[in-house]
Amino acid sequence: MTSAGGAAPTNFIREIIQADLEAGRYDRVVTRFPPEPNGYLHIGHAKSICLNFGLAEAFGGRCNLRMDDTNPSKEDAEYERAIREDVRWLGFDWGEQVYYASDYFEQLYAWAVQLIRDGKAYVDDLSADEIRAYRGTLTEPGRESPYRDRPVAENLELFERMRSGEFPDGAKVLRARIDMASGNLNLRDPVMYRILHATHHRTGDRWCIYPMYDFAHGQSDAIEGVTHSVCTLEFEDHRPLYDWFCKALGIHHPRQIEFARLNLSYTVMSKRKLLQLVEEGRVAGWDDPRMPTISGLRRRGYTPEAIREFCARIGVAKKDSTVDLALLEHCLREDLNRRAPRRMAVLRPLKVVIENYPEGQTETFDAVNNPEDPSAGTRPVPFSRELYLERDDFMEDPPKKFFRLAPGREVRLRYAYFIRCVGVVKDADGRVVELRCTYDPATRGGDAPDGRKVKATLHWVSAAHAVEAEVRLYDRLFSHPNPDRAGEGSFLDHLNPDSLEVLRGCRLEPCLAGARAGDRVQFERLGYFCADPDTADGRPVFNRTVTLRDAWAKLRKKGG
RNA sequence: UGGGGCGUCGACAAGCGGUAAGUCACCGGAUUUUGAUUCCGGCAUUCGGAGGUUCGAAUCCUCCCGCCCCAGCCA
């Protein structure tokens, strides 16, 4: 069980469970999170994970992690490994063991035989195309297969031969015998087993017939004593079938409850599309920091706490909805604000020479590590005659609302001195390459004894002491709020061409030399950053997790 | 034209017959050695629409409209 749940607000699922408990329908609560190991987990799965583990925790029950591994042609042990890692990282504990649908293959087979014996399942020789044709359409009923009334004994024998490998893929299937005229397509004699001569990553070549989702999921729930099988809306149509199998088999009958899956603006969530992004090299892999995968978010610098808080805030309902990415980012900033140490980093360096500061002199200032957390203490930051400032913090011909550095203007260097720009050095092309400034020794520490004010406080890094680094600026992967439904064309048409900008030659304050992969910091005035695994000794690589809220950027955008 | 769902502020979401919570976003304004954080204020006379029941309806009934899902031997 978990210890990670927050105080999640109530929702309709909790109410159903509460009512079930009170009515005595179940005497305990068991849920499960059942991913298919055919891809990486994403933020949408996080919603389901938080929901299922959270439900179990709220009712003092248990939540099983179960691999829904019934299709060997798509699944892989690597995905399984990643799933465990991600669930664990999110902060959930699945207890003694991971469960596997594949562990139930023998039992599932026995249950299939039982249904055949009861005349409720039959072996069909129709091809896939024929089955489709016989199924009918949304508005017309289907037709019964000519093999539907095979004698039980023949069905039994054929099914056994299917298992023993006598038939090639697709030659036969086992079908439930329900109702070819049902308005619910799932009830038109759904396929229970198909022949698949494929090696399963766990059962190897022991099987060449594999159960379909509908004949595996509910039964797996039953075996594990699941009481509430929570899944997404698209399975609502499957519930009658889920119930039919449990009833026909006379086994423990969990209640299936459906909720709306998570959609996030500016991102795609389907595994198919995420896979495509990876396979076509649109991103660097499943853990590319632009991906909505758990591993991508982790590498980007997200915290499990922020993701859990987000999941608690979005709620659980049956309405199709798309949550604003801004909410996710808000949860992230909220968490990082209270825990990320502050550092100074200049991403686009502009050299500054303090003309009246003695050459060769260095002094040290104490900088606060985290204004939100006094216990985080301070660190020393060296200051000298030559510094780097952010190019964006200087404008030669500033607009009215710009109150950073400009010719003749005075600003404060954080923790250090007031400086005034007295000269601009340009190259042959007229590009600003260096600033000449003077400092006021009386403002040491950042306050003027005469009480004069400055409108801006800038971050800076001493040139001689700076650590060079690579910084990767990430932005949303898609430029359209809903890449899935943005008119005709592919979602790929809406990829944001500026989703990644790599900056080299960035200058960090010296204490960042020892950054280790996974370290999260706030670069003051810029945003939250996380040291990437590509970080090498003495050569940090930082990913921008998210920018700080930026009133100036907003202003600038408005003004054109 | 079949079956299953869903419609409350720009985005989420409470509300469960007694007269529209909260959050994000947005817009002010205060404090600030991060144009950050924090703080304070604003933001649905109205609940997809139309009727009806009721002293009273977002909540109950009827009809209509809109959106989503289902025709894999995927999950």
Side-chain angles (χ1 to χ4, degrees):
Chain A
M1 253 290 309
T2 173
S3 57
T10 190
N11 57 56
F12 78 99
I13 298 181
R14 287 189 182 221
E15 288 175 5
I16 291 173
I17 294 177
Q18 187 63 46
D20 279 349
L21 256 17
E22 282 164 9
R25 175 168 172 156
Y26 303 106
D27 58 6
R28 86 230 104 107
V29 173
V30 180
T31 58
R32 97 271 93 110
F33 172 62
E36 181 188 15
N38 69 341
Y40 278 59
L41 262 25
H42 53 62
I43 183 83
H45 292 108
K47 176 180 180 181
S48 175
I49 292 167
C50 291
L51 211 210
N52 280 294
F53 280 90
L55 251 15
E57 181 181 44
F59 291 97
R62 177 178 95 237
C63 178
N64 293 347
L65 171 60
R66 178 170 76 231
M67 301 297 168
D68 215 347
D69 55 350
T70 58
N71 185 355
S73 63
K74 291 188 175 174
E75 296 149 10
D76 189 289
E78 153 61 12
Y79 289 132
E80 197 190 305
R81 198 219 90 246
I83 288 170
R84 292 168 189 258
E85 181 183 3
D86 291 346
V87 173
R88 181 79 75 199
W89 179 78
L90 274 175
F92 297 98
D93 179 359
W94 54 78
E96 295 302 301
Q97 60 163 309
V98 171
Y99 295 78
Y100 295 88
S102 57
D103 281 346
Y104 311 141
F105 283 172
E106 199 60 58
Q107 173 64 261
L108 260 15
Y109 181 84
W111 277 335
V113 168
Q114 180 187 330
L115 291 185
I116 293 173
R117 286 217 165 89
D118 292 345
K120 291 174 176 166
Y122 63 97
V123 172
D124 196 347
D125 293 3
L126 254 29
S127 70
D129 286 344
E130 289 167 326
I131 286 182
R132 188 179 315 120
Y134 274 71
R135 187 154 31 225
T137 69
L138 294 180
T139 52
E140 303 156 16
R143 287 140 52 212
E144 296 183 350
S145 164
Y147 303 96
R148 197 174 197 259
D149 294 315
R150 272 217 261 239
V152 168
E154 187 182 335
N155 280 322
L156 249 16
E157 186 207 326
L158 254 18
F159 187 48
E160 191 176 323
R161 289 170 64 196
M162 280 169 64
R163 174 180 184 167
S164 64
E166 282 189 41
F167 310 113
D169 287 3
K172 295 184 183 342
V173 291
L174 182 72
R175 289 230 253 171
R177 192 196 170 106
I178 306 181
D179 177 10
M180 289 306 292
S182 173
N184 182 342
L185 291 292
N186 295 120
L187 262 19
R188 317 242 264 227
D189 289 13
V191 173
M192 295 164 58
Y193 269 92
R194 75 285 215 185
I195 300 172
L196 231 45
H197 290 269
T199 302
H200 187 282
H201 73 282
R202 290 191 74 248
T203 62
D205 294 317
R206 282 209 292 286
W207 294 88
C208 63
I209 57 172
Y210 292 91
M212 297 288 290
Y213 167 85
D214 287 306
F215 193 66
H217 202 94
Q219 287 77 333
S220 299
D221 287 342
I223 290 169
E224 293 172 18
V226 167
T227 56
H228 299 271
S229 185
V230 178
C231 61
T232 43
L233 253 28
E234 66 272 26
F235 291 101
E236 211 150 17
D237 288 340
H238 293 246
R239 178 153 33 94
L241 184 50
Y242 184 107
D243 293 338
W244 190 90
F245 278 128
C246 284
K247 208 170 158 209
L249 256 13
I251 57 181
H252 169 68
H253 196 154
R255 179 200 286 275
Q256 176 180 305
I257 305 170
E258 311 84 13
F259 71 99
R261 68 184 327 143
L262 169 67
N263 294 295
L264 249 195
S265 58
Y266 297 101
T267 113
V268 296
M269 211 69 94
S270 93
K271 276 193 187 177
R272 199 206 99 230
K273 286 172 182 158
L274 295 177
L275 212 211
Q276 189 180 350
L277 290 170
V278 171
E279 287 186 331
E280 292 181 5
R282 312 285 182 152
V283 294
W286 285 102
D287 71 342
D288 185 297
R290 290 165 294 182
M291 291 282 273
T293 50
I294 303 300
S295 53
L297 294 170
R298 177 166 59 233
R299 188 166 183 180
R300 175 86 168 243
Y302 273 75
T303 62
E305 291 81 359
I307 294 172
R308 277 190 253 121
E309 175 62 20
F310 171 73
C311 290
R313 286 205 203 184
I314 56 177
V316 179
K318 296 192 71 159
K319 183 174 63 174
D320 284 312
S321 61
T322 301
V323 176
D324 197 334
L325 219 210
L327 179 58
L328 213 209
E329 295 187 336
H330 168 81
C331 293
L332 214 214
R333 291 190 181 106
E334 184 178 60
D335 187 33
L336 258 15
N337 175 50
R338 53 178 173 243
R339 50 206 298 208
R342 272 55 169 175
R343 296 292 183 261
M344 291 199 285
V346 175
L347 268 26
R348 296 179 170 87
L350 174 58
K351 175 73 110 8
V352 172
V353 176
I354 314 290
E355 294 183 335
N356 59 339
Y357 193 86
E359 253 171 281
Q361 177 174 314
T362 295
E363 60 189 310
T364 301
F365 296 104
D366 281 326
V368 173
N369 281 327
N370 188 345
E372 306 292 322
D373 175 15
S375 74
T378 62
R379 67 191 186 282
V381 181
F383 180 90
S384 63
R385 188 171 193 266
E386 297 195 357
L387 313 169
Y388 288 111
L389 291 191
E390 206 68 61
R391 286 204 97 94
D392 289 350
D393 285 338
F394 174 80
M395 282 188 104
E396 198 172 8
D397 186 21
K400 191 96 179 71
K401 297 283 182 94
F402 183 87
F403 44 79
R404 275 111 96 146
L405 199 57
R409 279 247 197 111
E410 187 173 56
V411 298
R412 168 166 44 229
L413 294 185
R414 181 139 228 229
Y415 300 119
Y417 296 101
F418 284 10
I419 60 166
R420 183 180 300 281
C421 178
V422 297
V424 177
V425 181
K426 298 181 181 177
D427 63 13
D429 301 323
R431 189 177 135 87
V432 176
V433 293
E434 182 181 303
L435 260 29
R436 309 296 292 191
C437 295
T438 57
Y439 83 116
D440 177 357
T443 59
R444 187 167 201 284
D447 279 309
D450 63 5
R452 74 181 191 276
K453 301 288 183 201
V454 288
K455 297 191 79 173
T457 299
L458 309 185
H459 61 278
W460 51 273
V461 170
S462 167
H465 304 86
V467 177
E468 269 201 58
E470 174 177 325
V471 175
R472 299 169 183 168
L473 266 21
Y474 292 103
D475 197 357
R476 47 185 61 143
L477 225 204
F478 294 92
S479 40
H480 189 106
N482 190 344
D484 279 325
R485 293 171 226 187
E488 68 281 5
S490 161
F491 70 105
L492 296 172
D493 298 341
H494 304 288
L495 277 166
N496 174 7
D498 304 315
S499 62
L500 169 61
E501 182 178 4
V502 178
L503 263 24
R504 291 171 225 278
C506 304
R507 312 297 163 120
L508 318 182
E509 66 168 85
C511 81
L512 252 11
R516 309 257 305 262
D519 286 354
R520 299 185 189 94
V521 296
Q522 180 196 103
F523 288 166
E524 291 212 31
R525 304 208 303 132
L526 298 174
Y528 295 98
F529 293 74
C530 180
D532 190 83
D534 288 347
T535 292
D537 228 21
R539 199 183 162 285
V541 175
F542 276 93
N543 297 324
R544 183 174 67 197
T545 309
V546 66
T547 61
L548 254 26
R549 289 183 68 221
D550 188 347
W552 167 238
K554 205 180 282 179
L555 246 183
R556 203 176 29 187
K557 218 174 192 174
K558 256 194 249 169

